[in-house]
Amino acid sequence: DIPTPPPVAVAPADYSGPWRMTSTSKYDSCSNKALTSLDPRSLKLTAELHSFDQGAIDAHRFACHLIAALFDRDHMAGRHWDYDPPSASPMECEDENTLKFKAEKEATWDWKDIYSVASAKGTINFNMETKEILVEDYSYYAAG
């Protein structure tokens, strides 16, 4: 699990700050990459987004929170799953106003000769100038 962010002066139930989050799907065709809005409230990320906005957590930690929230949204939890912590590896970026991370969260289920893997992956871009967070080529996959 990801450590809870440090407390902030006010952690609103609804985030109304400047940051906006969107995503594209890995499964969309190259010519049809539709942007989907991500709601911090439905992802249970309002406190983390507020903490990021206030500088209490950095982009790397928020990227981990975001990929974990997307995994939780798409994964049907149950008994016998072993969850790996989310990871976010920095990527090189040509634009000095952008931070970029390759993010992933996985879980495995190994019980009674049945083995399954579930994985959420995406490239998370933080545009510090426009205050936009884009989860690019997001995918969730479960097999087994």
Side-chain angles (χ1 to χ4, degrees):
D1 284 334
I2 306 168
T4 303
V8 291
V10 176
D14 194 17
Y15 177 76
S16 61
W19 287 92
R20 298 293 171 247
M21 299 189 305
T22 55
S23 71
T24 63
S25 172
K26 175 182 178 179
Y27 305 112
D28 288 344
S29 67
C30 290
S31 62
N32 190 26
K33 290 281 184 188
L35 282 177
T36 302
S37 181
L38 297 174
D39 176 28
R41 184 175 45 198
S42 67
L43 291 172
K44 300 177 182 153
L45 277 176
T46 55
E48 291 82 0
L49 187 55
H50 183 73
S51 293
F52 172 66
D53 185 34
Q54 298 298 310
I57 62 173
D58 63 9
H60 175 264
R61 179 167 287 178
F62 185 77
C64 289
H65 283 292
L66 179 52
I67 199 68
L70 291 169
F71 178 91
D72 291 346
R73 176 194 71 184
D74 296 337
H75 180 68
M76 184 175 289
R79 292 176 35 195
H80 309 294
W81 282 98
D82 291 322
Y83 297 93
D84 293 337
S87 64
S89 303
M91 299 174 67
E92 284 194 32
C93 194
E94 295 175 11
D95 181 0
E96 64 186 36
N97 292 319
T98 302
L99 299 173
K100 198 173 201 175
F101 298 90
K102 186 58 123 179
E104 179 177 23
K105 179 165 173 66
E106 291 186 336
T108 55
W109 188 41
D110 190 1
W111 189 66
K112 289 191 175 185
D113 297 327
I114 299 173
Y115 183 79
S116 295
V117 176
S119 176
K121 298 179 182 181
T123 301
I124 302 178
N125 301 279
F126 293 83
N127 187 315
M128 307 308 274
E129 188 176 345
T130 62
K131 306 289 188 201
E132 294 174 334
I133 301 168
L134 169 64
V135 182
E136 191 174 17
D137 291 334
Y138 173 74
S139 66
Y140 172 81
Y141 181 76

